Amino acid sequence: MYKILIADDHPLFREAIHNVISDGFPESEVMETADLDSALLLTQEHDDLDLILLDLNMPGMHGLNGLINLRNEAPTVPVVIVSAEQDKQVVLQAITYGAVGFITKSSPRAQMTDAIEQILNGNVYLPSDIIRTQKSSPRRHHDESVIAPELLQALTRKQLLVLERMTKGESNKQIAYNLDIAETTVKAHVSAILRKLNVHNRVQAILSAGDIDFAAYLRR
């Protein structure tokens, strides 16, 4: 059904994620590699890959530089980071640098399956438990990415509700379900939010809105 590459230098984890894919997405073709150079070679040989599951700390990666190299080599193949890393800024940076999702290695099996399914369906997956945490560095007093109050005032109540859900790491599908609206309506709200907040993508919106007291704005 799908053609998926697992790039991770831990054999036991490769086996575990291989089993997740085999059970959740039967008949999928799964390839494995243990370093970035081999992953780059395989992406050249298989231009029909549907997904790459990429370990952040395997040989050759040098952190997020490996992700950038892989995205440059195979810009059309979705890449999701699978890592033990749980720092919110690293997660958001990975998305900024082109990953379509971030799955923590401590995730339960069912959550991993759901994450992969969301990504294969064209959504971005963010670990909600990490996204909900406060920022790791106290930069707020001089952080130019903070949203100005007048920009937030420009958002409708529904758009504020959608933005609040976005900051919790929810996909458009999850937001649509939780707010009982159509997914196409959510997409329209997200586009309007990005335009009104003067940001270019979903991650910038999440970064800017991370510390907002939504309850105060929703009471107006």
Side-chain angles (χ1 to χ4, degrees):
M1 186 169 68
Y2 295 107
K3 193 169 186 178
I4 298 174
L5 171 62
I6 302 170
D8 194 293
D9 63 331
H10 293 89
L12 284 176
F13 184 77
R14 286 203 307 272
E15 181 181 354
I17 197 72
H18 194 146
N19 290 337
V20 168
I21 294 168
S22 297
D23 292 345
F25 311 92
E27 301 180 18
S28 292
E29 180 183 348
V30 181
M31 294 178 290
E32 299 182 16
T33 186
D35 59 72
L36 181 63
D37 287 343
S38 299
L40 289 169
L41 187 61
L42 283 168
T43 58
Q44 293 171 358
E45 295 174 351
H46 302 271
D47 58 2
D48 57 343
L49 282 170
D50 293 298
L51 183 64
I52 299 172
L53 297 166
L54 186 67
D55 179 28
L56 200 57
N57 297 309
M58 70 177 180
M61 283 294 290
H62 305 296
L64 290 167
N65 287 327
L67 168 63
I68 296 170
N69 290 337
L70 191 57
R71 295 293 298 131
N72 288 336
E73 186 64 42
T76 62
V77 182
V79 179
V80 57
I81 297 296
V82 184
S83 176
E85 180 63 63
Q86 299 204 26
D87 183 87
K88 179 177 178 179
Q89 295 306 308
V90 173
V91 173
L92 293 172
Q93 274 189 320
I95 305 299
T96 302
Y97 292 157
V100 296
F102 197 107
I103 302 173
T104 57
K105 289 187 175 182
S106 59
S107 301
R109 185 186 184 94
Q111 187 175 328
M112 283 191 177
T113 303
D114 178 62
I116 294 171
E117 182 176 13
Q118 284 192 40
I119 292 161
L120 288 170
N121 286 335
N123 294 312
V124 173
Y125 177 83
L126 295 171
S128 58
D129 53 337
I130 294 177
I131 297 304
R132 288 192 185 101
T133 61
Q134 292 297 311
K135 286 193 172 185
S136 55
S137 55
R139 301 182 293 124
R140 304 306 295 179
H141 63 287
H142 62 274
D143 190 343
E144 61 184 18
S145 69
V146 178
I147 297 175
E150 59 268 22
L151 295 182
L152 282 172
Q153 295 287 354
L155 298 181
T156 66
R157 179 180 176 81
K158 188 66 76 173
Q159 288 165 357
L160 280 169
L161 289 170
V162 170
L163 179 59
E164 182 180 24
R165 294 284 177 179
M166 286 166 59
T167 64
K168 294 178 180 178
E170 294 185 7
S171 66
N172 287 351
K173 185 176 182 180
Q174 289 172 309
I175 295 171
Y177 176 80
N178 288 323
L179 297 182
D180 195 25
I181 56 179
E183 191 171 348
T184 53
T185 303
V186 174
K187 290 179 181 178
H189 282 318
V190 172
S191 296
I193 290 166
L194 300 186
R195 185 180 68 255
K196 289 182 177 181
L197 297 184
N198 294 324
V199 294
H200 299 294
N201 56 52
R202 193 185 192 95
V203 174
Q204 288 181 334
I206 293 170
L207 279 168
S208 300
D211 297 335
I212 290 171
D213 181 3
F214 283 96
Y217 283 93
L218 289 168
R219 282 197 300 266
R220 70 189 186 196

